[in-house]
């Protein structure tokens, strides 16, 4: 029987993609009735129960009911708890991160990189940053119907950046009525307040409908001073004042005529309590107790505020032609704060002038001063406007049904970053020059006879909190020294698509289905740092403009070929073939293909497999980005005291590092732990000669739904990914290793050392040096128990086991080696979630346990107590390790359906306030804690009212 329901087809993905995700023996009529691509995964005619188990590829479906039973307020937070998700990209705990992508929410499948996971909204791409990052925060939770996660490479089906997989967020349509929701929550410490308010309104007629969803969400920041792992310093509770920064908010100075201020061990003095800053006798040598614990001023979790409005409209022109359109406006504001800048006059050539009113000795002196009064803050505002219309329909020809769709997408992201806390070097040079105190007691620049208008003099020797002329507590002085820097950016995505699908012929095993389609897409991006950042005339990280665009035309063909059906040991045997040709304006053409096999030897057993080729073109900022700078943490192999030290070899001594050289950190103090932060800014940048990445992915899986256990679905999937020519940032450690350990003199060209041996300049740009392989297994068990007198129970247990995560590297001899990273922070050998749901009448309880296996990290010191495996050997080389145990976090929600058509839920994430281990390498974080772990017990209440 032929049956069409056009209303159900509105807003679905192009029909051609549906063919790739459903067995070919499904007729076009049945496809129209209910089988779609990622919007509704369904194997027509299959007896296997459970939609998640019935597809040719491993797919996870998160329904709206699933989302409601979790205590999260963003799509990214929900996806981050999938066992197949990698470490969080640009975690909110990474307070020191900077650049265009900071402030967004991203998902990283399989730890292959967030820009290798394609995110769709109703089958169409999200707008991306110039780096290819797709911000999930722009999608309001209230608008979501469900989320589909395709966990294998899909470049042949979707295009270039679907190497790791695809996340498709499907929104609500044809909603009839109204719904309002209020969510409030906070951490057990009384901070991190979260408030979210949403309203959804819809009306449905005979031929169409309109749905509107509006949402406001705000999460307050959490401060490093309020968490056990961050408040004391970089080693957590094990920190001492020796671990703090010598560049203190108390200020200190060095007299060049008495000391060599560029070397460790020189005398740095700070003011006595209530001392006279102009009297050299009122100073003492600065002690560790007077150093700066920068964590006290830093956010351990950034604040975020979101405002979203989503509208969907659809209309059936005829029984066979339908119109659908999505309109989204989102505004995201992210607040970020790190400690005041560690100003060093030596780094900028700005000593305190001998003619300054504050100079205690009458000659130019060098000083250090943490700018504690004005912490560095960044307010990032992203505005997104998205419009995605489409027309779809079907027609009959030669007794066959065909589906067609044409659509367009316009997505525009505008970002504005307002930053304060970095000092203008133009202003500081004046403020530290000749100065005087005027008749009103105000410190002025210049001389009484020749003052500099509008300029206020600065006394960097006054400690934080001490008032007086030239004190940084003076608002006029702050306004003079600390301008507001504004960075702007715009990215645009424009695409036009056309798709046709249907069945070609009827084979003995069913219809041979086909899909063909074309797409034209254009990506544009521009990111313009403030003029101060571009000129390098501030203490902020220098950067230049990123600007570029590219276009591509694509055509794809997909076939589903039914080979056998309803035969012994072959209830179904279907072959899926897909191929996509892409023609890039900046690279030329490439063809990528995908092959799938579905074999059902019995009604309750499914075996599936895929092989896919992948291709990822460099992003706009990879190719056309400017330069940027950062303070990097690294290990200098020319330093004594580090693992694998080559101190004293010919390459090190020739570069100016003596045999007894000890790497210097901030304040030019000798490092005691590694990696150690550089006191100087290093430069990185784009590379217009980059090549595209290529990949292959393979999956083999089995799905079993035994007939004698009603409600049970068991799945096991093996996966393997291999990526070549990976675009990576050429690391500081790799350059130094190549230069000094392996003796590759060409790699030494960008390394500059000072007279004392420490590195003052280094360039590390993008390169195609990366290569990696990852392999593992996904195990899923779902069981909905028979209903009992005490209620209905269901269990969902998902586990990912990563057996391999290898990256290419080199040993000391320059030989190619494979570096195994399973167990490194974020690359867990085992991630496992088990959820138990109970319902009885109007009451329900949902419990989830999230398990993470242990981690390993490089030892920051070989001293006893800091290193579990100091004698560990890897690839024939010393590789001392520190190892931590496994961690489990428990979540609980209790809900009640009230008789007035409302639902009230209360819950707690990390119910038992479990603390993860200290991680001194600060993975995905700026603190001694893994950035993907809970930072406390979070308690919430959610009220939903339907009208």
């Amino acid at each position: 029987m032929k049956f069409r329901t056009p209303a159900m087809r509105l807003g679905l993905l192009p029909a051609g993609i549906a063919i790739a995700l459903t067995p070919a023996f499904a007729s076009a009529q049945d496809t129209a009735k209910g089988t779609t691509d990622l919007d509704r995964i369904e194997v027509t005619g299959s007896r296997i129960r459970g939609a998640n188990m019935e597809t040719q590829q491993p797919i996870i479906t998160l329904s709206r009911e699933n989302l409601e039973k979790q205590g999260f307020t963003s799509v990214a937070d929900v996806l981050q708890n999938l066992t197949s998700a990698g470490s969080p990209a640009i975690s909110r705990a990474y307070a020191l991160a900077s650049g265009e992508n900071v402030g967004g929410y991203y998902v990283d499948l399989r730890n292959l990189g967030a820009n290798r996971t394609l995110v769709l909204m109703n089958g169409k791409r999200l707008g991306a940053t110039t780096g290819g990052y797709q911000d999930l925060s722009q999608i309001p939770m209230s608008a979501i119907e469900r989320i589909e996660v395709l966990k294998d490479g899909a470049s042949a089906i979707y295009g270039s950046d679907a190497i790791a997989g695809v996340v498709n967020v499907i929104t609500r349509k044809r909603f009839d009525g109204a719904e309002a929701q209020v969510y409030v929550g906070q951490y057990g410490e009384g901070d991190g307040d979260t408030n979210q308010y949403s309203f959804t309104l819809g009306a449905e007629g005979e031929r169409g409908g309109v749905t509107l969803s509006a949402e406001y969400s705000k999460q307050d920041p959490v401060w490093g001073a309020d968490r056990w792992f961050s408040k004391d310093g970089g080693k957590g509770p094990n920190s001492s004042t020796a671990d703090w920064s010598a560049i203190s908010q108390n200020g200190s100075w060095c007299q060049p005529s008495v000391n060599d201020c560029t070397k460790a061990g020189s005398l740095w003095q700070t003011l006595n309590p209530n001392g006279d800053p102009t009297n050299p006798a009122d100073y003492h040598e600065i002690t560790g107790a007077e150093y700066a614990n920068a964590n006290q001023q830093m956010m351990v979790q950034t604040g975020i505020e979101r405002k979203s409005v989503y509208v969907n409209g659809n209309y059936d022109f005829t029984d066979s032609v339908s119109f659908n359109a999505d309109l989204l406006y989102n505004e995201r504001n992210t607040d970020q704060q790190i400690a005041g800048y560690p100003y060093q006059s030596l780094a900028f050539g700005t000593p305190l002038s001998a003619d300054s009113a504050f100079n205690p000795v009458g000659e130019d002196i060098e000083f250090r001063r943490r700018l504690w009064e004005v912490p560095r803050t960044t307010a990032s505002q992203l505005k997104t406007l998205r419009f995605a219309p489409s027309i779809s329909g079907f027609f009959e020809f030669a007794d066959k049904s065909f589906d067609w769709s044409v659509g367009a997408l316009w997505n525009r992201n505008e970002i504005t970053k307002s930053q304060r806390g970095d000092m203008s070097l133009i202003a500081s040079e004046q403020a530290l020059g000749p100065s005087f105190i005027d008749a009103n007691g105000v410190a002025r620049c210049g001389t009484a006879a020749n003052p500099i208008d509008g300029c206020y003099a600065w006394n960097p020797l006054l400690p934080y909190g001490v008032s007086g002329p030239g004190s940084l507590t003076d608002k006029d002085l702050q306004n003079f020294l600390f301008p507001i820097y504004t960075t702007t950016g715009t990215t645009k995505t424009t695409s036009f698509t056309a798709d046709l699908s249907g069945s070609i012929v009827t084979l003995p095993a069913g219809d041979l289905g086909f899909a063909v389609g074309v797409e034209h897409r254009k990506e544009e991006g521009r990111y313009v740092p403030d003029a101060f950042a571009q000129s390098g005339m501030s203490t902020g990280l220098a950067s230049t403009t990123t600007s570029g665009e590219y276009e591509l035309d694509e055509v794809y063909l997909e076939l589903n070929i039914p080979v056998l059906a309803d035969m012994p040991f072959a209830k179904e045997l279907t072959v899926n073939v897909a191929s996509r040709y892409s023609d890039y304006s900046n690279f030329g053409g490439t063809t990528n293909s995908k092959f799938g096999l579905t074999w059902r030897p019995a009604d309750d057993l499914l075996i599936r497999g895929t092989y896919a080729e992948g291709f990822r073109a460099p992003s706009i900022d990879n190719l056309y980005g400017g330069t940027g700078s950062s303070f990097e943490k690294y290990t200098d192999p020319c330093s004594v005291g580090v693992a694998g030290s080559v101190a004293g070899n010919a390459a090190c001594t020739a570069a100016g590092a003596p045999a007894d050289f000890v790497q210097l950190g901030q304040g030019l103090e000798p490092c005691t732990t590694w990696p150690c932060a550089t006191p100087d800014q290093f430069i990185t940048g784009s590379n217009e000669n980059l090549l595209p990445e290529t990949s292959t992915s393979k999956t083999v899986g089995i799905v079993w739904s035994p007939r004698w256990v009603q409600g049970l679905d068991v799945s096991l999937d093996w996966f393997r990914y291999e990526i070549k020519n990976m675009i990576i940032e050429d690391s500081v450690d790799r350059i130094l290793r190549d230069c000094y350990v392996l003796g590759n003199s060409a790699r030494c060209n960008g390394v500059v050392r000072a007279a004392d041996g420490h590195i003052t300049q280094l360039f590390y740009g993008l390169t195609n040096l990366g290569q990696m392989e990852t392999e593992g297994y996904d195990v899923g068990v779902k069981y909905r128990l028979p209903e009992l007198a005490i209620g209905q129970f269901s269990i969902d247990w998902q586990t990912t086991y990563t057996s391999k995560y290898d990256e290419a590297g080199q040993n000391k001899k320059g030989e190619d080696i494979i570096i195994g990273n399973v167990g490194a922070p974020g690359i867990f050998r085992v991630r496992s979630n088990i959820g138990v749901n109970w319902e009885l009448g109007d009451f329900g309880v949902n419990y989830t346990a999230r398990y993470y296996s242990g981690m390993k990290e490089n030892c920051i010191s070989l001293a006893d107590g800091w290193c579990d495996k100091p004698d560990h050997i890897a690839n024939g080389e010393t590789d001392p390790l520190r190892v931590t145990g496994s961690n489990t976090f428990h979540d609980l929600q209790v809900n009640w359906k009230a008789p007035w058509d409302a639902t009230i839920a209360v819950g707690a994430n990390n119910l038992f306030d479990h603390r993860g281990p200290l991680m001194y390498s600060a993975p995905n974080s700026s603190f001694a804690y893994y950035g993907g772990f809970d930072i406390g017990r979070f308690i919430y209440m959610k009220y939903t009212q339907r009208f």
Side-chain angles (χ1 to χ4, degrees), residues 87 111 821 823-828 855-857 919 921 923-924 930:
S87 56
N111 272 303
N821 289 309
I827 307 174
F828 300 95
M855 294 180 282
K856 61 184 181 183
E857 64 179 353
M919 300 295 294
S921 57
N924 299 95
Y930 171 55

Side-chain angles (χ1 to χ4, degrees), residues 514-696:
F514 83 97
V516 64
V518 295
E519 177 178 359
H520 173 79
R521 179 160 55 93
K522 183 177 182 180
E523 299 284 354
E524 305 170 76
R526 183 174 175 84
Y527 185 70
V528 185
D530 186 275
F532 274 90
Q534 297 203 46
S535 64
M537 295 307 296
S538 78
T539 59
L541 301 176
S543 58
T544 56
T545 297
T546 294
S547 182
E549 64 180 54
Y550 65 87
E551 298 182 53
L552 68 156
D553 294 297
E554 298 183 290
V555 59
Y556 73 88
L557 173 65
E558 302 171 14
L559 297 173
N560 272 344
I561 307 168
V563 180
L564 298 174
D566 297 324
M567 297 181 65
F569 304 105
K571 296 296 181 180
E572 174 195 348
L573 181 61
T574 304
V575 176
N576 171 264
V577 181
S579 192
R580 189 181 196 91
Y581 174 77
S582 305
D583 184 15
Y584 283 79
S585 61
N586 51 353
F587 287 106
T590 177
T591 301
N592 296 279
S593 301
K594 183 173 183 177
F595 307 89
L597 177 70
T598 303
W599 175 37
R600 197 185 311 277
D603 287 337
D604 52 4
L605 183 64
L606 173 69
I607 298 173
R608 61 194 177 192
T610 62
Y611 172 86
E613 299 172 333
F615 170 92
R616 190 180 81 87
S619 62
I620 290 173
D621 77 341
N622 290 162
L623 296 168
Y624 314 119
T627 59
S629 63
S630 65
F631 291 93
E632 290 296 300
K633 287 186 176 183
Y634 67 96
T635 300
D636 190 339
C638 292
S639 171
V640 297
V642 305
S645 171
V646 293
N649 76 2
C652 291
T653 55
D660 60 349
F661 170 70
V662 177
Q663 183 179 344
L664 302 181
Q666 289 196 350
L668 298 178
E669 293 295 315
C671 299
T672 58
T673 60
W674 286 270
C676 184
T678 172
D680 302 280
Q681 295 183 27
F682 291 170
I683 306 298
T684 186
S686 60
N687 181 355
E688 62 181 12
N689 297 315
L690 288 172
L691 300 174
E693 300 176 343
T694 59
S695 72
T696 58

Side-chain angles (χ1 to χ4, degrees), residues 783-795 836-840 845:
Y783 184 34
R784 183 175 178 86
L785 281 71
E787 188 167 359
L788 306 173
I790 58 173
Q792 176 74 64
F793 288 88
S794 59
I795 300 171
V836 179
N837 188 68
W838 168 80
E839 294 178 355
L840 179 62
V845 176

Side-chain angles (χ1 to χ4, degrees), residues 775-809:
E775 184 176 354
Y777 303 87
D778 290 327
V779 181
V781 178
K782 290 189 175 184
Y783 184 34
R784 183 175 178 86
L785 281 71
E787 188 167 359
L788 306 173
I790 58 173
Q792 176 74 64
F793 288 88
S794 59
I795 300 171
D796 187 351
W797 184 16
Q798 302 293 325
T799 300
T800 295
Y801 178 87
T802 302
S803 59
K804 176 191 291 187
Y805 191 97
D806 293 346
E807 294 182 277

